[in-house]
Amino acid sequence: MLTRTAPANGPESGLLASLGAWTWPGTAADGQQVAHLLLAHRLGRTSHDTPAAIEARMRHLGETLGGLARAEDPVPETLGSLVTVGSHVLLRFPGARWGLKLPAHPQWTRLVHDNGRAALVLGLDPLAQWADAPRVDAYLDAALARGRLLFGFTCRTSRTA
């Protein structure tokens, strides 16, 4: 779901509307609990949604977020931010008029609040929005093995919307 934020000069609403988002609590390499967020393009619905076009959109989104890392690189902080909106969490993109409302279980939201950030995983390949946990796990395993994931941390802003 898109939620209006500020004047636009970032990702277009069409790109944001084409995204699927999945959230889950997980463990970081240091053993600490961390909130995870996967963004992936929904399966193509038109002839313009070729695998190459989808990858280009997702790479553009990664650049908009300040550049994301490959699995073997140090994970950067992104320019995106997480904003609490009541009991919901909104991902805001730099320069975008709209934010992306994230699916958020209370445990995930608590991790974002307590740690002040979430691990952002950006998939370069499409994933059906209806994908359940086993399908998301299979997607992540396959995409990681093929170098088709980009990573960053997105921080929670101190204010709420």
Side-chain angles (χ1 to χ4, degrees), residues 52-73:
I54 288 171
E55 178 178 351
R57 289 179 203 139
M58 297 308 289
R59 287 192 183 278
H60 171 72
L61 186 64
E63 290 303 316
T64 299
L65 289 166
L68 301 177
R70 296 172 303 174
E72 60 274 9
D73 298 329

Side-chain angles (χ1 to χ4, degrees), residues 59 70 124 142-150:
R59 287 192 183 278
R70 296 172 303 174
L124 298 178
L144 183 61
R146 293 184 356 260
R148 306 290 294 163
L149 297 175
L150 299 174

Side-chain angles (χ1 to χ4, degrees), residues 7 47-48 53 66 73 85 92 96 101 104 106 110-111 120 128 143 145 147 153:
S47 61
H48 298 288
D73 298 329
V85 181
R92 295 183 66 185
K101 183 179 170 188
R110 191 169 32 258
L111 278 172
L120 174 65
F153 283 106

Side-chain angles (χ1 to χ4, degrees), residues 10-68:
E12 295 181 9
S13 59
L15 173 58
L16 298 182
S18 71
L19 297 176
W22 295 262
T23 59
W24 68 95
T27 306
D30 63 4
Q32 297 294 315
Q33 285 286 101
V34 65
H36 287 80
L37 164 60
L38 169 65
L39 296 179
H41 199 288
R42 296 178 188 176
L43 294 174
R45 296 185 300 186
T46 71
S47 61
H48 298 288
D49 291 332
T50 65
I54 288 171
E55 178 178 351
R57 289 179 203 139
M58 297 308 289
R59 287 192 183 278
H60 171 72
L61 186 64
E63 290 303 316
T64 299
L65 289 166
L68 301 177

Side-chain angles (χ1 to χ4, degrees), residues 59-131:
R59 287 192 183 278
H60 171 72
L61 186 64
E63 290 303 316
T64 299
L65 289 166
L68 301 177
R70 296 172 303 174
E72 60 274 9
D73 298 329
V75 179
E77 296 287 335
T78 71
L79 299 177
S81 61
L82 298 168
V83 179
T84 303
V85 181
S87 62
H88 303 284
V89 179
L90 177 70
L91 177 61
R92 295 183 66 185
F93 298 86
R97 176 173 293 170
W98 304 95
L100 187 64
K101 183 179 170 188
L102 302 174
H105 183 276
Q107 182 182 4
W108 186 85
T109 302
R110 191 169 32 258
L111 278 172
V112 168
H113 183 268
D114 292 348
N115 296 337
R117 67 184 192 165
L120 174 65
V121 182
L122 188 78
L124 298 178
D125 298 313
L127 178 62
Q129 187 171 1
W130 50 262

